Amino acid sequence: MKHVFIIGSKGIPAKYGGFETFVDELTKRKVNGDITYHVSCMGENNEEFYYNNARCFNVKVPNAGSAKAVLYDILSIQECIKYIKDNKLSNCIVYILACRIGPFFSKYRKELNRLGAKVWVNPDGHEWKRSKWNYWIRQYWKVSERLMVKHANLLVCDSKGIETYIKDDYSNYSPKTTFIAYGADVTVSPLNDNDEKILNWFKKHELTSKEYYLIVGRFVPENNYELVIREFMKSKSKKDLVIISNIEKNEFYSQLLQNTKFDQDKRIKFVGTVYDQDLLKKIRELAYGYFHGHEVGGTNPSLLEALASTKVNLLLDVVFNKEVGSNGALYFSKGSGNLASLIDNTDQMTSATVEELGIKARKRILDEYSWDKIVSEYEAQFTM
C-alpha cells in the first residue's frame, strides 16, 4: 500500500480555489486500490474524518496573520511525521502544494527521508511576483521557493513553462522534475438556455446571450484588468464586457476607476461574484468570448474552465497561456490598440469560424486537461 500525504490545500470537500479542487478530484476519481490518501485540512479542531475514501485530518492553526499559511504547513508536516512513526509506515510520499516553508523545509525533508518517505513539492506559479504581497513577503516567497526546489525529492510542475523555469533558474541544484497538468471539468452545465436561473441573472444585469464578453478571476493588477478594460473602451464593439470578481473593499477597483473612468462606458459591467457553479458554467457557455489577462503562474484553472465552456477565448500572449490554449484561442499583446483591434475583428467572425474555434478549444481540454487523465498520471507517478 502506498500512503500519500497531501498538505498545503485548505482541505476537502473543496470550498476554495485550485489546490482544493485538485485534491477533491484526485481523491474522488481514485482508481488504484493500492493508494491511500491522507489529506491535511485547516480546521477548528484536530479531529479526523473520511471524505472520498481519503483520511482527512484537521489541523487547528493559531491566527498568525500573513504567517498563518506557513504555520499551517509546518503543523501539517509535523502531523504527517507523527502518523508515519506511530503507524510504522514506510515507502510514503508527502506531497506539499506550494513553496511556503522553504526556510524550515530541509529539516523536515531529512526526517521524512530517514523514515523512508519521499517529499514532493508542487511549486505552483510565480507567487513572489504577485502584487498583493509587499516587498518583504515577496522576498520571503522567492527565498522559500529556492530552498524547497533545492531540497525536494521531486518537483511536480503543473505547467511546462514552470518546469522550464525551475530547471533553468535553479540549474545549480539539478532539480528532479516532472510535468503533470492541472485538470478541468469537461461536462456542460445542467441548466438549459431558458432556465429561470440564467434568465433572471441576464435580466438583473441587462444582458443577452452571446452579446457579452466575460472575465472571471481574482481582481488583482497582475491579471491585467486595466489593459483589457482600456482596450475594450477603445473598441467599436456593441457587446458588453461582464466582469465576475469580488471587488468589495478593493483598493485596486478604486484606482482602476480613477485611471480609466470605465463607469462612463455603459458596456462595462462589474456584476460581483457567482458561487452557483452550474450558473457560472452556463454564463461561460452563453458568452460570446472570454478574456484572460493572467500573466503570473502556471496552468490557470479559470483558463481551463473558459476553454472547456466558451467558444472564443482571447488570451494575453505569454508562455503559460499559449501552452494551454495552443491553436484553440486567439492572442493579444500589451501594445496599445492591439487588443482593441482583435476585439473588433472577433466581433466580425462568421458563425463557422466561432464554431471551429470552440471545437479546438474544447479538444485542448479533452485531450490534455481532463481530470481523468490528470488523476491517471498522478497515480502512475505515485506508484512508480
Side-chain angles (χ1 to χ4, degrees):
M1 180 64 67
K2 178 76 75 168
H3 291 268
V4 178
F5 296 78
I6 303 175
I7 70 177
S9 80
K10 291 185 178 71
I12 52 177
K15 298 174 187 172
Y16 302 96
F19 277 143
E20 291 72 35
T21 300
F22 158 68
V23 179
D24 209 324
E25 295 290 343
L26 182 69
T27 53
K28 178 171 65 180
R29 296 173 187 265
K30 188 183 81 162
V31 175
N32 193 319
D34 292 329
I35 297 174
T36 295
Y37 289 115
H38 307 259
V39 180
S40 175
C41 305
M42 191 178 285
E44 296 300 316
N45 53 52
N46 291 307
E47 295 175 359
E48 288 187 8
F49 64 96
Y50 280 80
Y51 181 77
N52 290 344
N53 291 318
R55 184 185 75 91
C56 303
F57 56 99
N58 283 339
V59 176
K60 187 175 181 179
V61 189
N63 193 351
S66 58
K68 185 174 182 178
V70 176
L71 187 55
Y72 170 53
D73 284 1
I74 290 173
L75 293 173
S76 297
I77 203 168
Q78 288 174 350
E79 182 58 36
C80 292
I81 290 168
K82 182 178 183 298
Y83 189 90
I84 290 169
K85 282 181 177 176
D86 289 351
N87 292 275
K88 297 180 172 57
L89 301 180
S90 59
N91 196 26
C92 301
I93 293 169
V94 176
Y95 185 24
I96 304 173
L97 306 175
C99 294
R100 284 182 284 261
I101 58 171
F104 318 95
F105 182 53
S106 175
K107 168 183 180 293
Y108 294 118
R109 193 268 298 166
K110 286 175 183 173
E111 190 168 357
L112 283 161
N113 285 173
R114 281 196 297 269
L115 293 170
K118 297 294 185 186
V119 187
W120 296 6
V121 173
N122 186 313
D124 199 15
H126 294 318
E127 193 67 30
W128 48 272
K129 284 187 176 180
R130 296 195 189 280
S131 60
K132 68 176 180 176
W133 305 121
N134 66 37
Y135 171 81
W136 296 109
I137 293 176
R138 286 202 294 270
Q139 292 305 302
Y140 174 86
W141 270 108
K142 184 62 176 166
V143 169
S144 187
E145 177 185 87
R146 178 176 63 79
L147 292 171
M148 292 190 78
V149 168
K150 180 180 180 180
H151 294 295
N153 295 125
L154 178 68
L155 293 140
V156 183
C157 306
D158 65 19
S159 155
K160 290 176 183 173
I162 289 292
E163 185 177 31
T164 299
Y165 155 74
I166 293 289
K167 283 181 172 294
D168 289 350
D169 277 40
Y170 300 108
S171 59
N172 53 318
Y173 300 140
S174 302
K176 184 181 178 187
T177 67
T178 191
F179 163 68
I180 305 178
Y182 187 84
D185 177 10
V186 293
T187 62
V188 298
S189 173
L191 306 182
N192 64 49
D193 291 1
N194 295 311
D195 192 282
E196 193 174 326
K197 276 187 182 180
I198 188 69
L199 293 180
N200 288 342
W201 193 83
F202 278 167
K203 185 177 180 182
K204 178 181 178 182
H205 299 293
E206 299 180 343
L207 295 168
T208 305
S209 173
K210 300 300 180 183
E211 291 298 321
Y212 61 93
Y213 287 88
L214 183 65
I215 304 176
V216 182
R218 288 190 305 168
F219 198 65
V220 290
E222 63 263 23
N223 290 350
N224 285 293
Y225 281 92
E226 182 167 344
L227 170 69
V228 175
I229 288 170
R230 281 188 184 281
E231 291 293 309
F232 194 87
M233 290 172 72
K234 286 181 191 173
S235 79
K236 301 181 181 69
S237 182
K238 291 184 169 55
K239 302 185 191 301
D240 291 310
L241 171 58
V242 176
I243 299 168
I244 296 178
S245 191
N246 186 355
I247 58 168
E248 291 177 28
K249 299 176 183 175
N250 191 304
E251 188 180 321
F252 174 51
Y253 178 84
S254 304
Q255 183 185 335
L256 190 64
L257 178 57
Q258 185 179 339
N259 290 349
T260 65
K261 307 288 191 295
F262 64 75
D263 57 332
Q264 296 174 20
D265 190 327
K266 62 184 175 67
R267 298 173 299 171
I268 296 170
K269 298 180 177 181
F270 283 85
V271 298
T273 50
V274 177
Y275 292 113
D276 182 328
Q277 293 304 302
D278 293 340
L279 175 58
L280 182 57
K281 192 181 284 283
K282 180 52 68 174
I283 292 167
R284 289 183 185 279
E285 290 170 2
L286 296 182
Y288 180 76
Y290 184 87
F291 292 120
H292 188 78
H294 294 47
E295 64 176 322
V296 174
T299 302
N300 186 271
S302 65
L303 174 55
L304 298 179
E305 289 159 8
L307 290 165
S309 301
T310 310
K311 291 176 180 176
V312 180
N313 291 276
L314 293 78
L315 320 182
L316 180 64
D317 191 353
V318 295
V319 62
F320 307 113
N321 296 339
K322 211 151 193 178
E323 173 189 324
V324 176
S326 188
N327 66 345
L330 306 173
Y331 298 90
F332 61 90
S333 74
K334 289 186 174 183
S336 178
N338 181 270
L339 177 54
S341 175
L342 181 60
I343 292 166
D344 291 338
N345 291 336
T346 302
D347 278 357
Q348 303 304 315
M349 278 183 178
T350 65
S351 57
T353 302
V354 169
E355 288 300 319
E356 184 182 355
L357 259 180
I359 289 167
K360 287 178 179 177
R362 189 167 172 79
K363 188 174 189 301
R364 286 292 299 158
I365 302 302
L366 289 168
D367 289 353
E368 301 297 335
Y369 297 98
S370 72
W371 277 120
D372 286 340
K373 178 178 186 290
I374 303 313
V375 169
S376 174
E377 290 176 359
Y378 264 104
E379 292 192 354
Q381 191 72 46
F382 286 143
T383 54
M384 279 179 65

